[in-house]
Amino acid sequence: MAQPYPPGARLLARPDQAAPCPTCGTLLGRGYPDCAACAETVDAYWLADWAALLSGNGVAEGTAEERDLAAMVLADDPGAHPWTCDDWAMRRTSCPYCRAELGSGALDCLSCASADQARWAWDHTAPPQAMRPDEHALRLTVAGLRSAEHRRPGVVGFWRLLLPFLLVGRAPTREESRRVRLHLMAGREDELSEAASVEEMAALPALPWRG
């Protein structure tokens, strides 16, 4: 019997530290999903799990059988597959109403909204060891950036700043997140972008008017 809530995004090793992207020049991942190199690096963790699922079911990529498998994954109960496979199945499925990637359409598309809400059942019902905080944050960030045009600019900016550090397994604490958001609201994105770690972003000195 398959393990319920098999972990996701753990087949590939994480990098030891955030490094510049050779294509867009920002920290690797920050250009997601528009930069091809950033997208390839981030998506590799999802694709590794999806490829394992395809192989285990004797299904080839890009076939009608793959589309059928994606539909089966989405119909299964939460925890039947790694969360990465749930996400990738949504990417392989077009919304029947807005035709966008399922779950990434406009906020007024009820089909996409329902699919996006359903994906988080995995996170909420899984046992603690099945998903680490950095994995949940990585999943949330990537899902949000795939529908960035429908999100508030401040939220998108926060996700982009953090993604390179989530890739190395470093999720911010609540206090660090609060401080980074405050700096971002104060228009200090350039300073935040130059930081080499979450700690450095959170440690920017407060502006005088906030003293």
Side-chain angles (χ1 to χ4, degrees), residues 11-12 40 42-54 61 66 84-85 88 91-92:
L11 290 182
L12 301 181
E40 181 180 1
V42 174
D43 287 345
Y45 296 95
W46 276 257
L47 189 55
D49 290 336
W50 185 252
L53 181 67
L54 292 181
E61 183 179 2
E66 183 188 26
T84 41
C85 290
W88 205 265
R91 296 195 200 182
R92 286 289 190 260

Side-chain angles (χ1 to χ4, degrees), residues 90 93-118:
M90 292 175 69
T93 306
S94 295
C95 172
Y97 296 100
C98 74
R99 309 310 300 173
E101 176 186 293
L102 186 62
S104 67
L107 298 181
D108 60 357
C109 176
L110 296 181
S111 175
C112 279
S114 176
D116 186 55
Q117 183 178 29

Side-chain angles (χ1 to χ4, degrees), residues 25-159:
T26 63
L27 288 182
L28 194 59
R30 197 164 278 169
Y32 186 87
D34 300 319
C35 169
C38 287
E40 181 180 1
T41 298
V42 174
D43 287 345
Y45 296 95
W46 276 257
L47 189 55
D49 290 336
W50 185 252
L53 181 67
L54 292 181
S55 177
N57 285 273
V59 173
E61 183 179 2
T63 62
E65 288 76 15
E66 183 188 26
R67 293 191 294 273
D68 292 341
L69 181 61
M72 182 200 74
V73 168
L74 294 177
D76 282 341
D77 293 333
H81 309 280
W83 54 268
T84 41
C85 290
D86 290 349
D87 288 350
W88 205 265
M90 292 175 69
R91 296 195 200 182
R92 286 289 190 260
T93 306
S94 295
C95 172
Y97 296 100
C98 74
R99 309 310 300 173
E101 176 186 293
L102 186 62
S104 67
L107 298 181
D108 60 357
C109 176
L110 296 181
S111 175
C112 279
S114 176
D116 186 55
Q117 183 178 29
R119 90 164 84 208
W120 306 113
W122 203 107
D123 306 52
H124 298 318
T125 58
Q129 69 274 15
M131 175 177 270
R132 303 190 305 260
D134 66 282
E135 292 169 343
H136 171 74
L138 179 64
R139 187 187 197 196
L140 177 66
T141 296
V142 168
L145 289 177
R146 295 192 70 79
S147 58
E149 66 273 20
H150 307 307
R151 312 289 178 164
R152 288 179 294 158
V155 175
V156 173
F158 178 74
W159 285 334

